[in-house]
Amino acid sequence: MLPHGRRRFSSLTICLSLLVLFTSIASAASAVLGIDLGTEYIKAALVKPGIPLEIVLTKDSKRKETAAVAFKPLRARVSTAESESFPERIYGGDGLALSARFPGDVYPNLKPLLGLSHKDDVVSTYSDVHPGLEMVEWAETGTVGFKSDSFVREEKPWLIEELLAMEIKNIKGNAETMAGKGTTIQDAVITVPSFYSVEERRAVTLAADLAGLRVLSLISDGLSVGLNYATSRTFPTVNEGGKPEIHLVYDMGAGSTTASVLRFQGRTVKDIGKYNKTIQEIQVLGTGWDKTLGGDTLNRVILEDMIEKITSTNHMKSLDLLPKHIKSHGRTMAKLWKEAERIRQVLSANTETTSSFEALYYEDFNFKYKLTRADFEKLASAYSDSVQKPIEEALESAKLSLDDLESVILHGGAVRTPFVQKILEAAIKGSDKIRTNVNSDEAAVFGAAFKAAAISPSFRVKEIRAADSAVYPVYASWSLDGKEKQQKLFLPTSQVGAEKQVSVKATEDFSFNLFQKASPRPSDLPVSEIRTQNLTDSVKSLTDKFGCALSDVSTKFAIRLSPTDGLPEVVSGSVSCEVAESESKKGGVVDGVKDFLGFGLKKGEQEPLKEDSRDGSLTLTSTSTSESETFTDSSTTGTQTSDSTMGEDLKKDGNPKELKKRTETIYVGFTTDLSGSPGIKQESLQRMKSRLTSFDKSDRSRVLREEALNNLEGYTYKIRDVLEDEGFILASTETHRDDIEQKSNDVSMWLYGDGAEASLDTLKARLKELRGLVDPVQKRKDEARKRPDEVQKLKDALVQANTMVSVVKQQREDQIKAASEASQASESQTTAASVTSSDEFADLDDETATSSSSTTSAARELPTPMFSEDDLTAIDEKRESVQKWLHEKMAEQEKLSPTDNPVVLSSDLSARSQEINDAVMQLLTKQMRTPPKPKKAKSSTKSTKTNSPKTTDTNSDTMAPGEDAKATVSVDLDDEMEGMHKLSPEEIKEAMAEQKSKPEKAKKKDKSRATGKGKSKGKGKSKGKEKGDTDGHGEL
């Protein structure tokens, strides 16, 4: 074996180790998440081995979570930099329900605000609906932030990305709980509206990163629905003559409306080896949208009508209350907004509904509101054109008409509104093409989860190639020689993932910008700035080493739409030029080297080198031909000669060298800086992560505190029941019980007072104090109940040990006696054999000697006693010591009263019983200390074959009666002991009874043989049974 320092592992061991490591890592990272990030609701679907495409349930077992987070204020305002206890965060519907109580700390429907400037109209509309929220401008980025009443005024505002990260992390926690203990989810695919530009997409990515998720891809809502639609369908194969299917996905959610024209088709592609396979393809052909049209827009229609009717009441007129006063009142607006949404949803299934408000705005003002479906449709009629506008824009972008559509697939909660459905039917000219064959709530999240599983290497799914579109045109701009240049790279319909080569006439380091052109916005949207690093040096290398002219140098950059976020990115950059090289028609490079060294010509055809008078070059002249080849000195290794030199270098036989061109390429390094609105500084990003982590820590501490509070309160109720228990009363004094009752009552009163806000350590200390009073009595009670059973078990174990000692002693005496009798029989047999060899059978000396030797060997192979004297002494001493300990402890225990602490515990009694049982078990399983059964020697076999009947008779006659039976007893006992390992006390009793009965059976057998049943008849003959017994003894 090699030393430890030089020991090598086999390749199989290494491969198996790597496989186990890879499997464990893959198993831990195999779960992925699909998230449908909606305005009003957030839905998630989990993909994990054993959990395929399962909706993540909320803590209330709902299939979707309300997109809201609330801070439940503490008694005093806190600072994240100084305090360890933060306000409680409440998510979903529970958080939204607090909007009437804490209108300044409930943040619903944040998605429309992502990436928008503080001056955007959408931000102003949001502020009008939620006047209780204090919205401020974040100076670093110019976007929106919120000031919370739960924190000190010096606290930095909470950005939209931070609040959205809290909601996403809550969804992530629910998914990990559903996936099982030990599962950590790190990857996700998130849906976004198709109109999201660079700023909104980066805001979503930042929120996911703050939540601890890596975005595998951002997928548009329409494509996600189409992906879910294609998972259970197959489409015509286009390369086999099939016609693609064109469908339009109309998605109206709470905050926006989009329409996406999708092309579905099958395609046969090459598979592994000689086989082909058919895949499904989905491509976005065109999109249209309305950023402000959605369920919230229709809710605002109802809200405005309620405010108008409230202010038109006589009570409000008498107070000169105007609509602006209602809109600026946070609690009133929160109540009205919640009721407006409920009314719209009810009117989708009913023709009219009513609502009642108590203490609205004023404590003494009650209001009742009634609305019919017809009145609601009249109020919403102003948005009729907006409903059908996305369809028209999508068809125009795809250059298609309504006749080209197979169907219109509806998705989103707001499409259930009858008002919307009527307008869609009118726009599409009938209801024949309108389809509701997908789940309007969950199709998008299922598509996102399918996309996540397709990207992850841990899963194998149906192969569907889905391609999103750029939506906005992408341009590149740069400045060269004082001139501004611009080039269009991608169209709005360009596929995400497509790559394009862009040529730039630049020979020195420069920078260029990538940006989107969003038509509704007045200015372009910068994406990134790219700066080259080694362009100047690379061009100089091409001109110096390869003789390239500056005009021939080409600078190219590979730019693509990123498959992750759909934004343009530079993949690589290079400079190149074409270089000419020569190659002779006759032979290759190796042949040219051979000719130069003189190995390529026949003997006698080589002439000395002569100096050429033209330019000092060396000329090689041949005597048989007029060929001459010129080699020009070069100061640079690896460079190619110029075209002019190659043109002059001709062969004398008239065959010119063949000129070829190759492209010499040098890759260009570059850096990418994100552009757009001023990015978040690194220190601000670190501060966000730090206070989010502190918030999580505070939440965990709050959960632990609530558990401690519940445990303490529950323990006080338990004490009331314990004090009435008979066993507890017997084990305690009346004074002690009064003390426990008093302490419990004090704690109960404290919990309803200052204890409700007590710290975790204080609650634990109070619980420990109560347990210190109750536990000793409870322990005495439990010991009094368990002690009798444990004492009886210990006594039973002692009886078993005593029985085992008696059995072992008897077996040991029998074994010694059997060995002694066998030894005497062997000696008498040896003596008889010697006498026989001196009589008239002297000619059989060899055979007799062989037989005698075999018999002596058999006598030496008799088994030794199984148990030694030390074994008996050890178990006997253990039994006596435990018996003495039990007698002493029980005597002391009997002197104590039930209210005294016991001197002997049930655990001590159980441990002593186990010690005795272990000693008995060790004795039962002890193996015989004898060598294995020997095989018969060849000489013995031959001797047996040649032995005369007289020899056999001698062996049979000289064997002591009962000897074979005793040997059989030893073998049976050996086999029995080998089969005993771990036995229960009942099995130990059975084993000891069986062992005790075996010697008695053996004695009976010996007695029957002694009466003559086992004797030989005649001088040299024996019965078959006796012969078999003799052979069995010989085997021992």
Side-chain angles (χ1 to χ4, degrees):
M1 181 184 240
L2 290 172
H4 290 288
R6 301 176 58 190
R7 193 171 296 169
R8 293 193 177 114
F9 298 99
S10 65
S11 58
L12 178 60
T13 303
I14 297 175
C15 291
L16 290 176
S17 302
L18 292 176
L19 179 61
V20 172
L21 177 62
F22 174 77
T23 303
S24 60
I25 295 175
S27 176
S30 60
V32 292
L33 204 60
I35 299 178
D36 181 14
L37 189 62
T39 301
E40 186 177 5
Y41 294 101
I42 299 179
K43 296 173 282 291
L46 175 67
V47 183
K48 182 181 181 289
I51 307 178
L53 291 177
E54 185 69 24
I55 288 291
V56 176
L57 302 179
T58 67
K59 295 179 180 179
D60 300 329
S61 298
K62 297 180 180 179
R63 297 178 69 85
K64 56 184 179 181
E65 184 78 278
T66 302
V69 58
F71 297 158
K72 190 174 182 180
L74 300 177
R75 291 187 176 182
R77 294 187 175 187
V78 298
S79 171
T80 57
E82 300 175 359
S83 177
E84 295 182 356
S85 179
F86 290 9
E88 180 182 359
R89 290 183 294 185
I90 304 175
Y91 299 96
D94 294 339
L96 192 62
L98 297 176
S99 57
R101 293 178 57 194
F102 310 108
D105 279 314
V106 180
Y107 309 95
N109 301 7
L110 297 173
K111 178 184 173 183
L113 304 178
L114 282 171
L116 298 184
S117 170
H118 182 262
K119 300 177 181 179
D120 197 282
D121 293 339
V122 177
V123 176
S124 300
T125 303
Y126 186 90
S127 179
D128 293 340
V129 176
H130 305 284
L133 296 175
E134 184 180 355
M135 303 178 69
V136 297
E137 181 179 5
W138 177 244
E140 290 185 13
T141 60
T143 55
V144 180
F146 291 97
K147 281 282 189 178
S148 172
D149 294 336
S150 300
F151 296 89
V152 296
R153 300 305 300 173
E154 293 78 14
E155 184 69 28
K156 296 290 184 180
W158 294 90
L159 296 187
I160 304 297
E161 291 84 350
E162 286 182 279
L163 298 173
L164 190 60
M166 296 179 186
E167 299 178 17
I168 295 177
K169 193 164 187 178
N170 176 56
I171 294 292
K172 175 175 176 282
N174 294 340
E176 291 176 346
T177 302
M178 179 178 175
K181 186 177 181 180
T183 303
T184 301
I185 300 175
Q186 299 177 343
D187 301 325
V189 170
I190 303 178
T191 64
V192 294
S194 56
F195 57 80
Y196 263 18
S197 63
V198 54
E199 295 174 350
E200 288 100 330
R201 291 175 182 266
R202 285 178 178 168
V204 172
T205 304
L206 175 60
D209 178 64
L210 292 174
L213 286 175
R214 180 172 67 101
V215 177
L216 296 176
S217 176
L218 296 178
I219 183 172
S220 65
D221 294 325
L223 181 59
S224 184
V225 174
L227 192 57
N228 176 251
Y229 179 80
T231 53
S232 58
R233 294 170 174 84
T234 57
F235 305 98
T237 306
V238 293
N239 52 358
E240 295 179 0
K243 182 181 179 182
E245 295 183 8
I246 308 297
H247 299 267
L248 185 143
V249 176
Y250 188 86
D251 184 7
M252 178 181 282
S256 61
T257 301
T258 61
S260 304
V261 179
L262 306 178
R263 178 170 63 195
F264 298 84
Q265 64 187 22
R267 184 182 298 277
T268 302
V269 297
K270 185 174 179 58
D271 200 1
I272 299 174
K274 300 180 180 180
Y275 300 97
N276 295 331
K277 63 179 180 180
T278 301
I279 63 171
Q280 307 301 311
E281 295 180 336
I282 310 174
Q283 182 181 354
V284 179
L285 301 180
T287 55
W289 61 81
D290 190 323
K291 294 183 179 181
T292 60
L293 178 65
D296 287 351
T297 305
L298 303 179
N299 294 342
R300 280 195 295 271
V301 170
I302 301 175
L303 178 66
E304 294 289 343
D305 186 59
M306 284 194 294
I307 293 175
E308 182 180 352
K309 290 183 177 180
I310 289 172
T311 54
S312 62
T313 59
N314 296 329
H315 182 77
M316 291 299 179
K317 286 182 178 180
S318 63
L319 298 174
D320 294 331
L321 193 67
L322 301 177
K324 65 179 181 180
H325 298 137
I326 299 292
K327 291 181 180 180
S328 61
H329 194 268
R331 293 186 177 181
T332 301
M333 286 296 292
K335 292 180 181 180
L336 294 177
W337 177 258
K338 184 178 179 180
E339 191 63 21
E341 182 179 1
R342 190 195 68 83
I343 291 173
R344 179 181 64 83
Q345 294 175 353
V346 171
L347 289 178
S348 298
N350 300 275
T351 57
E352 67 177 28
T353 184
T354 59
S355 298
S356 298
F357 300 91
E358 295 181 358
L360 185 66
Y361 197 80
Y362 289 116
E363 293 183 1
D364 58 345
F365 176 70
N366 299 327
F367 176 70
K368 187 174 183 179
Y369 178 75
K370 180 180 180 181
L371 184 66
T372 64
R373 183 188 294 179
D375 293 338
F376 167 67
E377 291 179 355
K378 289 180 182 179
L379 295 173
S381 59
Y383 296 98
S384 298
D385 295 338
S386 300
V387 172
Q388 60 185 4
K389 181 181 176 182
I391 298 178
E392 298 172 355
E393 292 180 351
L395 292 174
E396 182 181 357
S397 176
K399 296 181 173 56
L400 297 173
S401 64
L402 285 172
D403 297 334
D404 298 323
L405 297 178
E406 298 282 342
S407 68
V408 175
I409 303 172
L410 300 183
H411 185 265
V415 296
R416 300 189 185 96
T417 307
F419 166 73
V420 176
Q421 293 180 353
K422 289 180 180 179
I423 297 176
L424 289 177
E425 290 178 3
I428 303 172
K429 300 177 182 179
S431 60
D432 296 339
K433 291 187 177 182
I434 294 180
R435 299 286 185 272
T436 57
N437 47 8
V438 299
N439 189 324
S440 59
D441 284 331
E442 299 175 354
V445 69
F446 279 132
F450 185 90
K451 176 80 170 179
I455 296 175
S456 173
S458 302
F459 303 96
R460 185 177 181 181
V461 298
K462 179 181 178 181
E463 188 167 357
I464 302 177
R465 299 180 182 177
D468 228 323
S469 62
V471 181
Y472 298 110
V474 177
Y475 289 80
S477 64
W478 63 93
S479 177
L480 289 177
D481 301 329
K483 297 180 180 180
E484 296 291 334
K485 296 186 178 182
Q486 189 178 102
Q487 182 176 346
K488 191 173 187 178
L489 303 180
F490 299 101
L491 300 173
T493 56
S494 297
Q495 292 187 17
V496 170
E499 186 174 309
K500 189 171 185 179
Q501 296 288 336
V502 180
S503 298
V504 182
K505 289 294 182 180
T507 56
E508 296 180 353
D509 287 316
F510 75 111
S511 63
F512 62 95
N513 298 292
L514 301 177
F515 59 91
Q516 293 177 331
K517 279 195 173 182
S519 54
R521 301 193 180 187
S523 59
D524 300 331
L525 300 176
V527 176
S528 58
E529 182 181 7
I530 291 85
R531 298 178 181 274
T532 61
Q533 292 180 323
N534 61 332
L535 178 59
T536 303
D537 296 338
S538 300
V539 172
K540 187 174 184 301
S541 177
L542 289 177
T543 56
D544 294 348
K545 293 184 179 180
F546 302 100
C548 298
L550 288 178
S551 58
D552 296 333
V553 174
S554 175
T555 304
K556 293 183 179 180
F557 294 92
I559 304 176
R560 71 170 181 178
L561 294 174
S562 172
T564 302
D565 54 14
L567 300 178
E569 62 179 1
V570 179
V571 179
S572 63
S574 64
V575 290
S576 61
C577 70
E578 290 188 344
V579 179
E581 61 180 358
S582 65
E583 184 178 352
S584 175
K585 288 183 179 181
K586 296 171 61 177
V589 177
V590 177
D591 294 335
V593 175
K594 286 183 177 180
D595 292 341
F596 177 73
L597 296 177
F599 298 112
L601 300 176
K602 293 182 180 180
K603 187 176 181 179
E605 294 181 348
Q606 187 171 352
E607 291 289 338
L609 293 175
K610 297 180 181 180
E611 185 176 354
D612 194 347
S613 59
R614 290 180 300 171
D615 54 0
S617 61
L618 298 179
T619 304
L620 180 64
T621 306
S622 175
T623 57
S624 60
T625 64
S626 60
E627 294 181 359
S628 65
E629 191 170 359
T630 303
F631 296 88
T632 305
D633 294 339
S634 177
S635 60
T636 304
T637 304
T639 58
Q640 306 293 326
T641 56
S642 64
D643 294 344
S644 59
T645 305
M646 292 305 239
E648 295 175 358
D649 192 13
L650 302 176
K651 295 182 179 180
K652 292 185 178 181
D653 60 355
N655 294 329
K657 288 187 176 180
E658 193 176 285
L659 295 178
K660 292 186 178 181
K661 292 185 178 181
R662 63 180 176 86
T663 302
E664 191 68 32
T665 303
I666 300 177
Y667 289 99
V668 176
F670 57 89
T671 59
T672 301
D673 298 326
L674 301 182
S675 304
S677 58
I680 299 176
K681 297 179 181 179
Q682 189 63 32
E683 57 183 13
S684 298
L685 185 62
Q686 188 62 36
R687 175 180 50 79
M688 292 179 192
K689 293 183 178 180
S690 176
R691 67 177 180 178
L692 285 175
T693 302
S694 300
F695 232 133
D696 294 337
K697 184 179 179 181
S698 175
D699 288 344
R700 287 193 295 270
S701 299
R702 180 177 297 103
V703 170
L704 294 176
R705 180 193 168 278
E706 290 176 353
E707 289 180 358
L709 180 63
N710 293 335
N711 292 338
L712 180 58
E713 186 176 8
Y715 201 72
T716 58
Y717 291 117
K718 181 181 178 181
I719 288 176
R720 298 176 187 176
D721 298 333
V722 166
L723 291 175
E724 298 176 359
D725 183 71
E726 294 181 1
F728 192 88
I729 295 174
L730 291 175
S732 61
T733 62
E734 185 176 357
T735 304
H736 191 67
R737 290 194 300 274
D738 292 341
D739 191 15
I740 293 175
E741 185 176 8
Q742 182 62 38
K743 290 287 186 183
S744 177
N745 292 335
D746 292 344
V747 170
S748 296
M749 296 298 295
W750 176 75
L751 286 175
Y752 289 104
D754 297 337
E757 301 296 332
S759 63
L760 175 63
D761 295 336
T762 304
L763 294 172
K764 286 184 176 181
R766 288 292 185 121
L767 181 61
K768 184 178 180 181
E769 182 181 4
L770 286 180
R771 288 187 182 277
L773 296 174
V774 176
D775 287 349
V777 181
Q778 190 69 31
K779 185 176 181 180
R780 290 196 295 268
K781 172 193 168 185
D782 295 339
E783 288 296 329
R785 177 177 55 84
K786 296 178 182 178
R787 190 182 306 113
D789 293 338
E790 294 297 335
V791 170
Q792 186 60 42
K793 290 180 181 179
L794 180 55
K795 289 181 178 180
D796 293 343
L798 292 171
V799 171
Q800 293 175 5
N802 189 30
T803 305
M804 185 63 186
V805 170
S806 301
V807 172
V808 170
K809 285 182 178 180
Q810 183 63 37
Q811 289 182 354
R812 177 175 168 79
E813 292 174 359
D814 293 343
Q815 289 177 351
I816 294 174
K817 182 179 179 181
S820 176
E821 293 176 356
S823 177
Q824 293 176 3
S826 175
E827 293 176 0
S828 61
Q829 185 177 357
T830 304
T831 305
S834 301
V835 173
T836 304
S837 63
S838 62
D839 60 9
E840 63 271 23
F841 301 102
D843 54 339
L844 300 177
D845 285 344
D846 295 337
E847 296 179 1
T848 305
T850 304
S851 177
S852 176
S853 176
S854 177
T855 305
T856 305
S857 176
R860 287 197 302 267
E861 294 168 3
L862 289 173
T864 58
M866 182 189 303
F867 304 106
S868 66
E869 190 66 30
D870 294 338
D871 297 334
L872 297 175
T873 304
I875 190 172
D876 205 26
E877 291 178 353
K878 173 66 70 175
R879 178 180 58 81
E880 291 179 356
S881 64
V882 171
Q883 193 166 7
K884 181 180 178 182
W885 174 85
L886 177 62
H887 180 72
E888 293 175 353
K889 289 296 182 181
M890 292 306 298
E892 294 179 16
Q893 182 65 39
E894 290 175 356
K895 297 178 182 178
L896 301 177
S897 66
T899 59
D900 294 329
N901 291 329
V903 295
V904 57
L905 302 178
S906 58
S907 58
D908 297 336
L909 294 169
S910 178
R912 298 287 180 165
S913 299
Q914 188 63 38
E915 290 179 8
I916 295 297
N917 289 333
D918 289 345
V920 172
M921 185 65 63
Q922 184 178 3
L923 201 61
L924 282 173
T925 57
K926 185 175 179 60
Q927 300 294 328
M928 292 182 65
R929 294 186 295 273
T930 56
K933 301 174 183 178
K935 295 183 180 180
K936 294 183 179 179
K938 291 184 179 180
S939 59
S940 299
T941 305
K942 292 180 181 179
S943 175
T944 303
K945 291 181 180 179
T946 57
N947 276 346
S948 63
K950 294 181 178 180
T951 306
T952 306
D953 294 340
T954 304
N955 294 338
S956 300
D957 293 336
T958 56
M959 185 167 53
E963 181 178 327
D964 55 344
K966 294 183 184 297
T968 306
V969 171
S970 299
V971 176
D972 293 342
L973 182 61
D974 183 27
D975 295 337
E976 187 71 25
M977 293 304 164
E978 289 180 357
M980 293 185 178
H981 297 288
K982 293 184 178 180
L983 305 176
S984 63
E986 292 76 9
E987 292 173 329
I988 293 175
K989 291 180 179 179
E990 294 178 3
M992 289 191 298
E994 185 177 354
Q995 295 297 327
K996 188 175 181 180
S997 64
K998 284 185 177 181
E1000 297 177 358
K1001 293 180 181 180
K1003 289 180 179 179
K1004 292 180 180 180
K1005 193 172 182 180
D1006 292 342
K1007 185 180 292 184
S1008 64
R1009 291 187 178 183
T1011 57
K1013 293 182 179 180
K1015 284 187 176 181
S1016 300
K1017 292 184 179 181
K1019 184 177 180 181
K1021 297 181 180 180
S1022 62
K1023 287 188 176 182
K1025 183 177 180 180
E1026 293 179 274
K1027 184 176 180 181
D1029 293 339
T1030 305
D1031 292 341
H1033 182 73
E1035 284 293 326
L1036 282 172

